[in-house]
Amino acid sequence: MHIAHAVARHCMSKRLCLVGRIHNGPPRKGLLKYVDLAENRDGSVGGGFLTSLLRKAKNSREVREIVNEATRRFEGTPWQLLSAATHVSAGPSVDDPQLAGTLLASISPKDIPYVWEGVLRVVLGNASRHKNGAVALNAFRLLMAQNTPLTTTDYARVIHSGIDSSEEEARLVHELLQQPCPTELDPRTIGVLLKVCHVRHNLDLAGRVWQWAAPRRHVRHGDQELCYVTAQYLLLCGRAGNIVVAHQVWQEARNTGLAYLPVVTGSMLSALAMHGADGETLELLKDIPPASLNLYMVTAALTAFSHSGNVDAAHALLEQVEMHGSQTPSASIQSYTALVDGYARSEDFASALAIIDRAMCQSRVGEDDVMWMTVLGPCRRFKNIPVAQTAFAAIQRLGSPEHRASAYVLMSDIYNACGDTMGALRMQQERLRKGLMKERGAVTLTMDNGETHVFYVREIPPALVPATRAIEQKLKEWSRWLGLCGISDQSIQCQHSEKLALAYAVTQGMRQIALRKNLRICDACHEASKQITIFESISIHHWDRSRVHVMKDGKCSCHDRY
């Protein structure tokens, strides 16, 4: 064996000598100057020297220079050097996941079994941190090919990296849930899995994740490391429309000593706010000392009162915050906006404008375009042009280009609702002349298998074009049904994105349908969707920009306060 190694070293040395001097130009800078010095001293440079030189690399350029130098000197870059270059590229000094992935992919498959698993894990972690799903997935698969025992951290990192394939992501999550949960599990792993469930709008999977993590959650009482994932799951339950599960999680948080933490309490208040549960919000506030209230809690509670129509409770809370400034935090602009929203939804525009005036008198609050948008939106429903014009002028003065464009569209709708078609046309022409483009409305439908499809107005996703005839037939059925019920079928005639997505879901046999819209739901879609739940015997969980709407048996959880 020793003789064989000696012969190999001799052959390598002879091959390097036959290559001769590689660089005969002017002295090079950076790490390559050390290569030139070594060559002048020893007559040749070996792979071991270049590999050790890689450890000094501080950026991607230096790593590439050393790898290119090795390629010039040898008949194929040695896998050991490529492995070291991969390790350095994914390490803290270089931190380049794309380069690390490229170098790892250049190692021959026959040499991969010899690559240290630590290198693969460093690449996986670095790619996960930079959300490079392709590199992370490749490193994860190579770990599997080496028959390396995979840890929960390995799974969490590849899932967190942002894999393009939802099917692959789902498979990895399910594989992880088949393994026992370690009691020393990093809570961030639970957070990664819950985030996947949130993106996929899958509360059932979130429930499985929560149960799977029970051994870690029950290790010790009052484990503050778990407060953020508890808050995350509470918010997910609220957004998914399952307030019953949210109450169960809240009770568990109380039993384990986490409920007193502000982030957990605030998340429960936010879950209640999404459903306008003002009574439960009041009960929860009774248990919170004034000194423990923070801005997040105050805004969440005010939003709950606003969404339920309990503006008296909202006003009383804001009064308490303003009067006891030494014990409670000063109200934020979001707090005032929540109260303005409550008054505007209740058609009490005089009180809404009075609250805006009060906010403008507060040096730390003031007004903004979001506050005025909460006034402008309800003007369409209540057909109040004078207040709408006041809000519109303020938005044009304060707003971002996106909000200004939205205000033009809303004003056009308000004029149309009031029968002023010329005013509506004038608003649209003025918007186009100013080059203000409104964000395009889009609805994402999540299928039972986790697939997602995005619908736009009068536009079916290209992959679903074969279902066009079935969708159109279903829309015609609904239009006839709504006519018999005396409900406007405007959203169907205009083929709003919600209706296209809903029709496709029903034609695919879905009974519990999850829709997510990037804008607020409109009146026509809201009323039509409620009636369709009766006709089709379905339930709809509809997230819009403002809140969640759970529709079933002709009713909505928002109690028509949208």
Side-chain angles (χ1 to χ4, degrees):
M1 179 62 70
H2 292 294
I3 295 175
H5 280 302
V7 171
R9 285 197 301 271
H10 174 73
C11 292
M12 176 63 73
S13 175
K14 190 169 184 179
R15 186 174 65 191
L16 284 171
C17 291
L18 289 173
V19 170
R21 189 177 180 82
I22 296 296
H23 180 71
N24 294 304
R28 294 183 287 186
K29 298 180 180 179
L31 294 181
L32 293 180
K33 72 178 180 182
Y34 297 107
V35 177
D36 296 341
L37 289 172
E39 191 172 52
N40 289 333
R41 183 190 62 204
D42 302 329
S44 64
V45 174
F49 177 79
L50 293 177
T51 300
S52 63
L53 201 58
L54 274 170
R55 308 297 180 191
K56 299 181 179 294
K58 299 299 182 184
N59 54 57
S60 304
R61 177 183 57 79
E62 292 182 338
V63 172
R64 290 192 184 96
E65 286 177 348
I66 299 300
V67 172
N68 292 337
E69 186 73 13
T71 303
R72 293 169 61 199
R73 291 177 177 275
F74 307 116
E75 296 175 2
T77 311
W79 70 265
Q80 295 93 333
L81 188 138
L82 288 173
S83 176
T86 300
H87 197 184
V88 171
S89 299
S93 60
V94 176
D95 195 25
D96 186 340
Q98 193 59 49
L99 177 58
T102 301
L103 293 170
L104 183 61
S106 65
I107 299 177
S108 172
K110 65 181 179 62
D111 295 322
I112 284 293
Y114 304 109
V115 175
W116 177 46
E117 67 184 61
V119 173
L120 301 179
R121 285 201 162 101
V122 169
V123 173
L124 175 57
N126 184 249
S128 176
R129 190 165 58 254
H130 287 276
K131 296 289 187 178
N132 192 321
V135 172
L137 190 58
N138 183 48
F140 182 81
R141 286 171 174 167
L142 292 177
L143 279 171
M144 293 182 65
Q146 286 186 340
N147 294 320
T148 303
L150 299 173
T151 66
T152 54
T153 302
D154 295 330
Y155 277 99
R157 283 174 171 170
V158 70
I159 292 168
H160 180 257
S161 66
I163 305 170
D164 290 336
S165 170
S166 58
E167 291 79 9
E168 181 75 18
E169 184 181 67
R171 184 187 64 80
L172 290 169
V173 172
H174 289 300
E175 273 187 20
L176 175 57
L177 297 183
Q178 297 302 315
Q179 302 181 12
C181 174
T183 55
E184 69 279 4
L185 178 70
D186 188 336
R188 289 176 295 182
T189 298
I190 307 173
V192 167
L193 298 177
L194 290 177
K195 185 176 181 180
V196 169
C197 299
H198 174 238
V199 172
R200 296 165 64 86
H201 319 310
N202 192 332
L203 185 64
D204 292 335
L205 182 59
R208 288 185 55 201
V209 169
W210 195 247
Q211 292 303 317
W212 171 79
R216 172 63 181 87
R217 293 190 288 109
H218 298 155
V219 170
R220 63 181 183 271
H221 185 81
D223 188 351
Q224 295 195 18
E225 290 185 348
L226 292 169
C227 68
Y228 291 103
V229 293
T230 302
Q232 186 180 0
Y233 190 41
L234 280 169
L235 287 174
L236 180 57
C237 292
R239 289 168 182 155
N242 198 330
I243 202 67
V244 174
V245 177
H247 279 299
Q248 294 172 354
V249 177
W250 173 249
Q251 188 59 49
E252 180 181 319
R254 296 181 67 176
N255 295 339
T256 56
L258 293 177
Y260 73 94
L261 297 171
V263 66
V264 178
T265 306
S267 294
M268 185 59 189
L269 285 169
S270 292
L272 295 174
M274 294 175 198
H275 295 266
D278 58 326
E280 296 170 74
T281 300
L282 283 169
E283 290 298 318
L284 185 54
L285 287 175
K286 291 178 182 177
D287 297 331
I288 304 175
S292 298
L293 280 174
N294 59 28
L295 291 177
Y296 177 38
M297 296 180 193
V298 171
T299 302
L302 287 169
T303 303
F305 298 142
S306 167
H307 284 177
S308 67
N310 193 343
V311 289
D312 292 337
H315 196 103
L317 177 59
L318 188 62
E319 292 280 355
Q320 175 189 339
V321 170
E322 288 183 334
M323 291 176 59
H324 301 88
S326 60
Q327 292 182 329
T328 59
S330 300
S332 66
I333 193 168
Q334 290 83 6
S335 304
Y336 281 92
T337 299
L339 185 53
V340 170
D341 186 43
Y343 279 122
R345 289 172 186 264
S346 302
E347 202 182 0
D348 188 352
F349 290 111
S351 296
L353 297 177
I355 294 298
I356 293 178
D357 288 339
R358 187 196 298 185
M360 292 171 63
C361 294
Q362 302 286 336
S363 59
R364 296 184 179 181
V365 183
E367 58 175 340
D368 67 0
D369 53 341
V370 176
M371 183 180 285
W372 283 105
M373 284 293 288
T374 63
V375 175
L376 184 60
C379 288
R380 175 176 57 184
R381 184 179 185 190
F382 298 117
K383 302 179 182 179
N384 191 322
I385 289 181
V387 172
Q389 290 172 334
T390 301
F392 176 79
I395 295 166
Q396 297 308 307
R397 174 170 50 88
L398 300 168
S400 64
E402 180 186 337
H403 278 175
R404 289 166 58 203
S406 297
Y408 269 105
V409 174
L410 264 175
M411 276 304 298
S412 178
D413 291 344
I414 292 167
Y415 281 125
N416 266 327
C418 296
D420 186 354
T421 55
M422 293 302 296
L425 180 61
R426 186 177 67 254
M427 285 290 105
Q428 292 290 16
Q429 290 175 341
E430 188 174 325
R431 176 179 66 84
L432 295 174
R433 188 170 63 252
K434 291 184 176 180
L436 295 172
M437 302 305 295
K438 178 180 176 291
E439 181 182 1
R440 192 181 185 192
V443 167
T444 302
L445 167 67
T446 303
M447 306 298 292
D448 289 336
N449 63 359
E451 281 187 10
T452 58
H453 301 290
V454 181
F455 294 77
Y456 300 95
V457 175
R458 298 185 184 278
E459 185 176 318
I460 296 171
L464 305 183
V465 168
T468 300
R469 180 173 296 180
I471 292 173
E472 291 176 347
Q473 183 60 38
K474 182 57 66 177
L475 292 177
K476 290 178 181 178
E477 290 180 25
W478 291 346
S479 184
R480 288 194 294 269
W481 163 258
L482 293 174
L484 293 173
C485 297
I487 303 296
S488 170
D489 66 345
Q490 176 190 356
S491 62
I492 293 177
Q493 296 300 329
C494 296
Q495 293 194 4
H496 286 190
S497 51
E498 292 98 324
K499 292 300 165 282
L500 293 176
L502 189 58
Y504 177 72
V506 170
T507 60
Q508 300 304 300
M510 295 179 64
R511 315 313 302 168
Q512 296 181 338
I513 300 168
L515 304 176
R516 193 175 192 94
K517 187 172 183 177
N518 60 337
L519 305 174
R520 275 193 175 186
I521 191 171
C522 70
D523 297 358
C525 271
H526 190 274
E527 295 307 307
S529 293
K530 287 196 304 179
Q531 290 299 318
I532 289 170
T533 61
I534 299 175
F535 183 73
E536 299 290 353
S537 299
I538 59 174
S539 65
I540 304 171
H541 284 209
H542 191 305
W543 289 266
D544 69 10
R545 177 174 283 182
S546 173
R547 64 182 299 174
V548 62
H549 302 262
V550 183
M551 302 178 182
K552 189 176 182 180
D553 299 329
K555 299 177 182 179
C556 181
S557 61
C558 77
H559 304 294
D560 296 338
R561 296 185 54 80
Y562 54 89

